[in-house]
Amino acid sequence: MAKEMEVLNALDIAKTQLYHFTAIVIAGMGFFTDAYDLFCISLVTKLLGRLYYYKEGSPDPGSLPSNVSAAVNGVAFCGTLTGQLFFGWLGDKMGRKRVYGLTLMVMVICSIASGLSFGKDAKAVMATLCFFRFWLGFGIGGDYPLSATIMSEYANKRTRGAFIAAVFAMQGFGILAGGMVAIIISAAFKAKYPALPYKDDPIGSTSPQADYVWRIIVMFGAIPALLTYYWRMKMPETARYTALVAKNAKQAAADMSKVLQVELEAEQEKIEVKGNDFGLFSKQFLRRHGLHLLGTTTTWFLLDIAFYSQNLFQKDIFTAIGWIPKAKEMSALDEVLRIARAQTLIALCSTVPGYWFTVAFIDRIGRFAIQLMGFFFMTVFMFALAIPYNHWTLKANRIGFVVMYSLTFFFANFGPNATTFVVPAEIFPARLRSTCHGISAASGKAGAMVGAFGFQYAEKAIGVKNTLIILGVVNFLGMVFTFLVPESKGRSLEEMSGEAEEENGDAIELSQHTGHDIRTAPA
């Protein structure tokens, strides 16, 4: 019945139209904001240390204590994990659209509140910053399962992978925007309030106005989210949710007739499906999708340990190899500017292209091949950096290190960072799709927390070289667990989830009992 329903068939075979691109932009701007909000904090943590943890007479500028740094960097991931589970479940219970605007408003409010963290006392500022970044992460978490599910349910089966990957690729632009905003703000304040390096003027190197810099950078994330709120509210509920979960094929046909701008015959009766209503914790789900869920959760978990470690702490690695001068040789705003320039360069040269390579090739060579290739090259380049690490720290070899480091980002994004987002939105039943995507994404954020908290301590305890070796092993394990994930290229969502097979069987059985064939002919 799902397979034969006219509205779902029309979505599967629809030519690429304006509504596809509109959905990509609306969902994608959420991901643009997500990436900006999650990664902009790494640009200003050094500045926070100088502003709030300066010790008079110290040979080095103030820096965040390890526990505070780990909390500031990692607390948003705790919120994101919680939000992915909660909003993923809610998206299946209440519908994708009804929850979609709520996540955006949480993000807007908490972005602004993060920048308005109260007072000038270190404990007060850090406590309120962490509090609001947790709830910011909570809103961001909801965007993952909802955006992926909405895009997969709107897309046609021929280019579905590219459409979902394009939404996720907006993350790259969010990371790039974070670096560019930090460059503009810090450069403007540096020109207005020039300061000497710390070694020449310890107190004057951090101008009081620098306190505004990190607040403006953090608050800027509210703007793109706010701009897309109206359009999110205008989107109709997805036909697959309305037809297969709400069981109202007539409403689904009416909604999609407007979107597709074609006449669809509305089924008069509400859909009653038996036999395919198993729950998440049932034996039937375990038999059909248990290994799939294990595959999507483990690969996303392992990927994010490596990916977020690299992203959040690339500033430390660049300092360690001498690409960014030591802190005492710069003023506070100069340090922000240099860190932002380095992050922007990496994003421009490797992160953003990697995402769009996936968009271009995912429906040609498939999800499985891209994910396996990405993990393989991430493993190779991580070991190539780690084993001869002392060689890369020599001044003559620093450019080579940056190139190799950039390639690990490129193959993360032209690889598992995109595919782990795409596949869970395609292979699970409609009534559990958002929930299973939320579980998979939450597993990823658990990995991000391991990366954010673990890398902080591993770097100091065992050094950068050994930490990079561990990340190489993690990438190799990701390659192994990829074999649990099925290929979904060119297949309909109902075919992947098993809904087509079971519901078609139910329809035939029902027609035999009633004497009428209740299936709708394909468009």
Side-chain angles (χ1 to χ4, degrees):
M1 196 155 58
K3 186 177 181 181
E4 307 265 339
M5 199 181 301
E6 184 181 9
V7 63
L8 302 189
N9 187 58
L11 281 167
D12 277 339
I13 65 173
K15 292 179 181 177
T16 301
Q17 299 175 35
L18 179 62
Y19 85 90
H20 286 123
F21 294 107
T22 304
I24 288 169
V25 171
I26 294 168
M29 284 310 290
F31 265 88
F32 176 96
T33 308
D34 296 347
Y36 182 97
D37 287 333
L38 284 175
F39 294 115
C40 71
I41 197 69
S42 67
L43 298 166
V44 298
T45 47
K46 299 267 191 183
L47 178 59
L48 290 170
R50 287 188 186 237
L51 284 166
Y52 299 108
Y53 290 90
Y54 166 69
K55 292 177 183 174
E56 196 169 347
S58 171
D60 293 302
S63 61
L64 295 178
S66 292
N67 61 331
V68 176
S69 178
V72 168
N73 280 304
V75 71
F77 296 139
C78 301
T80 305
L81 186 153
T82 312
Q84 285 163 336
L85 293 172
F86 176 73
F87 286 114
W89 168 78
L90 204 61
D92 282 334
K93 291 297 177 188
M94 293 178 58
R96 297 25 165 158
K97 181 193 170 177
R98 289 175 69 181
V99 185
Y100 209 26
L102 179 60
T103 62
L104 210 59
M105 286 316 297
V106 171
M107 287 158 60
V108 169
I109 293 165
C110 293
S111 284
I112 295 168
S114 295
L116 296 176
S117 297
F118 314 127
K120 291 201 171 184
D121 171 68
K123 283 187 179 178
V125 172
M126 294 304 137
T128 51
L129 177 62
C130 288
F131 175 81
F132 287 119
R133 279 192 65 78
F134 174 86
W135 290 107
L136 173 64
F138 187 71
I140 289 170
D143 234 33
Y144 275 74
L146 292 170
S147 289
T149 302
I150 284 170
M151 200 64 241
S152 73
E153 292 180 347
Y154 263 99
N156 62 54
K157 65 181 179 183
R158 186 176 57 83
T159 56
R160 185 180 62 237
F163 289 157
I164 306 171
V167 169
F168 195 62
M170 293 299 284
Q171 242 194 12
F173 288 123
I175 295 169
L176 185 63
M180 292 175 70
V181 168
I183 288 170
I184 293 165
I185 302 298
S186 59
F189 272 78
K190 184 184 170 188
K192 180 73 174 173
Y193 307 103
L196 293 169
Y198 181 85
K199 64 180 181 181
D200 298 325
D201 185 3
I203 296 175
S205 68
T206 307
S207 62
Q209 291 80 10
D211 192 52
Y212 294 112
V213 171
W214 75 268
R215 295 176 187 273
I216 293 169
I217 292 170
V218 168
M219 290 167 71
F220 186 85
I223 296 173
L226 200 56
L227 291 174
T228 52
Y229 180 76
Y230 170 76
W231 297 106
R232 280 200 179 188
M233 293 297 91
K234 291 260 293 178
M235 289 178 81
E237 182 56 86
T238 71
R240 284 183 162 91
Y241 182 87
T242 306
L244 300 176
V245 183
K247 310 287 176 67
N248 190 343
K250 186 175 182 180
Q251 184 62 49
D255 287 343
M256 290 303 106
S257 290
K258 294 174 188 174
V259 169
L260 295 168
Q261 296 180 331
V262 294
E263 281 298 317
L264 294 173
E265 184 185 343
E267 287 87 343
Q268 295 301 312
E269 301 299 323
K270 290 202 170 212
I271 301 170
E272 296 295 338
V273 177
K274 295 178 183 177
N276 194 28
D277 55 356
F278 54 84
L280 182 65
F281 300 105
S282 65
K283 286 183 180 177
Q284 201 168 352
F285 178 87
L286 185 64
R287 179 174 58 83
R288 278 179 166 252
H289 300 292
L291 282 178
H292 297 165
L293 189 58
L294 178 64
T296 58
T297 52
T298 50
T299 51
W300 207 335
F301 174 79
L302 293 163
L303 163 78
D304 275 11
I305 292 175
F307 183 73
Y308 281 87
S309 296
Q310 288 173 253
N311 254 306
L312 285 171
F313 300 105
Q314 56 180 282
K315 62 186 184 302
D316 300 316
I317 289 172
F318 289 146
T319 302
I321 65 160
W323 209 45
I324 296 173
K326 291 183 178 176
K328 64 183 179 183
E329 295 172 14
M330 299 176 284
S331 68
L333 293 177
D334 192 32
E335 186 172 35
V336 175
L337 181 60
R338 285 172 180 265
I339 291 168
R341 273 202 316 228
Q343 181 163 310
T344 302
L345 186 64
I346 292 290
L348 199 59
C349 296
S350 61
T351 306
V352 172
Y355 280 115
W356 291 99
F357 263 72
T358 301
V359 174
F361 291 105
I362 193 167
D363 288 311
R364 296 183 188 182
I365 63 177
R367 289 76 162 141
F368 177 81
I370 288 177
Q371 184 162 312
L372 198 67
M373 175 196 69
F375 270 128
F376 172 77
F377 281 111
M378 286 171 73
T379 306
V380 168
F381 287 119
M382 201 61 80
F383 282 131
L385 287 174
I387 294 168
Y389 179 72
N390 293 332
H391 165 81
W392 296 117
T393 58
L394 299 174
K395 193 169 184 178
N397 302 323
R398 286 171 186 168
I399 296 298
F401 182 95
V402 173
V403 170
M404 298 278 278
Y405 193 66
S406 298
L407 283 168
T408 63
F409 277 107
F410 176 81
F411 283 106
N413 295 310
F414 182 32
N417 193 39
T419 54
T420 52
F421 176 80
V422 173
V423 174
E426 299 181 306
I427 63 175
F428 298 108
R431 69 190 174 283
L432 298 171
R433 186 170 291 135
S434 179
T435 302
C436 289
H437 194 285
I439 292 169
S440 303
S443 177
K445 280 301 164 285
M449 287 157 61
V450 171
F453 295 117
F455 192 96
Q456 182 80 21
Y457 295 104
E459 186 190 11
K460 292 179 180 176
I462 61 175
V464 174
K465 176 177 179 173
N466 291 328
T467 306
L468 291 174
I469 290 174
I470 291 170
L471 294 181
V473 173
V474 166
N475 290 328
F476 175 76
L477 291 173
M479 189 166 59
V480 172
F481 279 99
T482 294
F483 287 93
L484 295 177
V485 181
E487 178 58 72
S488 50
K489 181 183 77 166
R491 301 169 70 185
S492 76
L493 297 180
E494 289 69 45
E495 188 183 350
M496 283 303 302
S497 65
E499 287 166 301
E501 174 193 337
E502 286 211 4
E503 291 180 4
N504 193 37
D506 287 330
I508 294 168
E509 187 181 340
L510 188 56
S511 68
Q512 288 171 346
H513 279 87
T514 60
H516 301 287
D517 190 347
I518 63 169
R519 292 173 294 169
T520 306

